[in-house]
Structure formats: structure tokens, C-alpha cells
Amino acid sequence: MSTLRFTVSPLMQLIHAVLWIQQRPHLPPTWLPQRWSRVSPASRTLLLDLIDPATHSIPDFLLPLTDRYRPTIETELAVIAATPLNDLRAHLRLTYRLGPVDEAFAGHLGVVPAVADSWRKEPTELVEAAWAGQCDPLLDAVQQALAEAWQVLLAPTWPVIRAVTETDVMYRLHLVKTAGMSSAALELVDGEAWDGQAAQLDSPLELDLTRLRHRIVLAPAVLLDRGRAVIVSGDDLVVGYPCRGRAVVVGPHSTGDSPEETTSEGLGTRHRLIAALEIPQPGHSLAARLGLSKATVSYHLGRLHSSGLVERRRLGREVYYARTPAADRLTPSLRDVRPTPS
């Protein structure tokens, strides 16, 4: 029987960001293509070649599945570096014209092998070398490109992205506790896709979950516009889904930049904290966004909690703070001066 868990993966968010740039370059958030232009040409070229929606297959080694709920980017890059040659070749074969078409994969996509082959692309020199057994140059280049893209694209905004995704996890765990697993699953896959016993996800892959012996991993994503991202990793199934509250990061008014002090002139520290709590966040995320010390944030959050304007919720080892309805009623004007993601 499969087990269910969540993961907040930096690399999955990054892969979705690269796909967003290719598929929705003229849609918000405007900060994403602006940052992408600052990534080096070599890294952009490599990532766009590997992460190409036209192939209907992103090489699975780019999305390593760890045992951690909150893996670091360094942990995930280390898993990529250790990709076994046979796994690497199997993943590359789905994207590039290397070896015969994987008939099982074509069948999952609902097409004949000839159609699946038409989606594959010609390999680059690095990919050909990896196929021949010299995988270190490709893996090294991929790690460097992903590390650079991460630092430029998402690292500045990661505290907010992580807060949004983990708030979604907290919501769904609460839903499981109060309404049961069926209700939680029903909301996740959308009601029309559920017949009481099975769910049909918006994915070209046809999968029999009864054959999965290990885990079903749910991965909330801020840069997934619609549908679901379904990834098969060995016997595990990873389902990426658009998380609640993602408009804070990708909405038309988000900038992704660090907030300037001038955006909160005339506001006291506690007003600034309430304004920043448009989504529940841990104290260290608020400190990073507002340029305040952790001790200062902790002190003022404690006073706000005592006043009934902020509530606390624990998720794992983190304590998340959220505005109460009383804070929303007392400070409606703060919605117009809320800080932008950082």
C-alpha cells in the first residue's frame, strides 16, 4: 500500500520557473523574465535544452526525490551529482534521440512510438558524451547551471515561496485531520475528476497507482499555472499542484524584490508586521522581508499575539504567525502598503 507525504522542493520550484519562462513569458510575474535575463547565456542555453515542454519529458534526474520534507538546494544538487549512469541514460533517452523509443513511455502518453520519437530532439555534445559513459561533464554543467539559476531567479524570493507552499501544506494537513483523507484528496484533484473511487488527473500519463509500492509525494508549487505536474521516480509518484496563496508570488502586483524601507514610512514595527502577514509565515521569514532582527520580530509578534491580533500555528519545528480577523478589521488600510516578496 502506498504512503502519502509532502515535499517543498527548491529544484521543483526552479524547474517550474524555467517552464513558466518558456510557456508564459508575457504573463506576470514580470520579475521572473527580468531575472532570467541576468542568468549567464551558457546556463540559459543548457537549461532550456533540457527543460523543453515540446519533448513532453523533463529528464527525471533534474528532479531528485529525497526523503526530506524540506530539502535544501545543496542536498538536491548533491543527488544530481550522484546520478547512476544507467539512470541518466534512461532519462536522457526519453528526451533525446538516443537509442530506441521507450515503447512503454509512448504508451503512457497515448501515442505510437513514431510520434513519441518525433518529440525527441537531437542530443548536444555533452548529452552524447554522457550517453557514451562520460557523464561527469554533463552533471557538472547541470549542477552549475541550476545553482546559478537558483541564486538569480528564486533565492531572493525563497522565504516567501517557502512560506506560501508550507502554508498550503498546513492547510491540507488540517483538512485531512478535520474532514478526512477523501475530502482532502477531493479538493486537491478537483471534484469533477473524482468518481468516489478514482481520480483522473490532468496529465498525459496513464498510471496504475496500485503498482506503486512506496510513496505518493505531493509537492505544492507557486509557478504551476494550471493542471498537475506528474512525475514517476522509480516506484514513487510525485504530483506537483498549484498551491493556495500563490498570487502573492506570481500575481500582477508582485515584484519579487526586497522591500524598501520607504514603503513602510510612517508605520510602526507592529503595523509593518501585520501588513506583511498577508500569508502565514515564520518569524525568520518576516525578519528577512522587513530587514529586522529576529529578536525584534519575535518581541513584537509576542505582543501582537497577546493583543489578539496575531495567532500562532506550529508546523513541524516552525511556528507560523497569521493575522486574526480582528487585525483585518482594525487595519484595512494596511492592504495598500503590504511589502512585496523578497
Side-chain angles (χ1 to χ4, degrees):
M1 181 177 180
S2 298
T3 60
L4 182 69
R5 72 177 182 90
F6 288 87
T7 187
V8 176
S9 164
L11 272 184
M12 179 169 287
Q13 307 293 334
L14 180 58
I15 299 302
H16 289 321
V18 176
L19 287 170
W20 188 288
I21 288 165
Q22 295 183 83
Q23 296 174 312
R24 307 172 187 87
H26 304 299
L27 295 180
T30 57
W31 56 264
L32 190 59
Q34 291 170 357
R35 289 182 186 175
W36 178 248
S37 67
R38 301 199 294 268
V39 178
S40 68
S43 293
R44 292 202 307 265
T45 298
L46 177 59
L47 294 179
L48 290 175
D49 187 65
L50 286 166
I51 307 168
D52 185 353
T55 65
H56 296 267
S57 171
I58 297 172
D60 285 352
F61 77 94
L62 297 176
L63 292 162
L65 184 61
T66 72
D67 292 328
R68 300 183 183 183
Y69 160 64
R70 186 196 286 168
T72 64
I73 187 70
E74 292 79 13
T75 298
E76 293 185 315
L77 290 176
V79 176
I80 288 178
T83 303
L85 175 59
N86 287 341
D87 290 350
L88 181 62
R89 296 178 83 231
H91 299 160
L92 292 175
R93 189 177 70 173
L94 299 180
T95 305
Y96 297 93
R97 291 194 173 96
L98 296 165
V101 174
D102 188 313
E103 294 188 10
F105 181 71
H108 287 321
L109 292 172
V111 298
V112 297
V115 173
D117 184 57
S118 69
W119 292 334
R120 298 197 297 175
K121 59 172 60 177
E122 295 303 317
T124 62
E125 291 184 6
L126 278 177
V127 170
E128 286 185 326
W131 178 261
Q134 301 175 11
C135 56
D136 287 346
L138 175 62
L139 293 177
D140 290 345
V142 167
Q143 289 177 82
Q144 293 176 18
L146 289 172
E148 180 191 357
W150 165 258
Q151 288 299 324
V152 175
L153 282 180
L154 296 188
T157 316
W158 184 241
V160 178
I161 292 176
R162 190 174 69 181
V164 170
T165 53
E166 292 192 343
T167 299
D168 181 273
V169 172
M170 183 167 55
Y171 164 78
R172 297 191 189 282
L173 290 176
H174 178 72
L175 193 60
V176 169
K177 181 179 179 180
T178 57
M181 181 63 74
S182 296
S183 295
L186 180 62
E187 178 174 307
L188 181 62
V189 302
D190 300 328
E192 64 271 15
W194 178 260
D195 65 6
Q197 295 182 323
Q200 181 173 341
L201 299 179
D202 183 17
S203 168
L205 289 174
E206 294 182 3
L207 301 170
D208 182 357
L209 298 187
T210 62
R211 297 182 180 180
L212 296 175
R213 298 189 296 273
H214 296 156
R215 298 166 294 189
I216 299 174
V217 184
L218 301 179
V222 297
L223 287 162
L224 188 58
D225 188 35
R226 56 184 178 272
R228 303 292 182 269
V230 179
I231 305 160
V232 181
S233 178
D235 289 325
D236 301 328
L237 174 69
V238 184
V239 179
Y241 64 90
C243 65
R244 296 164 58 91
R246 48 191 291 278
V248 173
V249 179
V250 302
H253 302 298
S254 65
T255 69
D257 296 327
S258 299
E260 299 292 339
E261 290 296 324
T262 55
T263 60
S264 297
E265 283 183 1
L267 291 176
T269 299
R270 293 175 200 172
H271 282 184
R272 293 177 63 198
L273 287 169
I274 293 174
L277 284 172
E278 53 204 355
I279 56 170
Q281 297 174 64
H284 62 79
S285 294
L286 290 167
R289 292 184 67 187
L290 299 178
L292 300 171
S293 70
K294 294 180 182 179
T296 297
V297 169
S298 178
Y299 170 76
H300 288 289
L301 285 174
R303 297 298 296 270
L304 288 168
H305 180 261
S306 299
S307 302
L309 298 176
V310 165
E311 62 181 359
R312 298 168 177 165
R313 302 173 186 171
R314 178 171 291 278
L315 177 61
R317 297 182 180 180
E318 298 264 37
V319 176
Y320 279 71
Y321 295 86
R323 282 198 302 238
T324 63
D328 286 329
R329 289 193 299 270
L330 290 173
T331 57
S333 61
L334 293 179
R335 296 191 186 97
D336 298 325
V337 294
R338 59 191 178 191
T340 54
S342 59

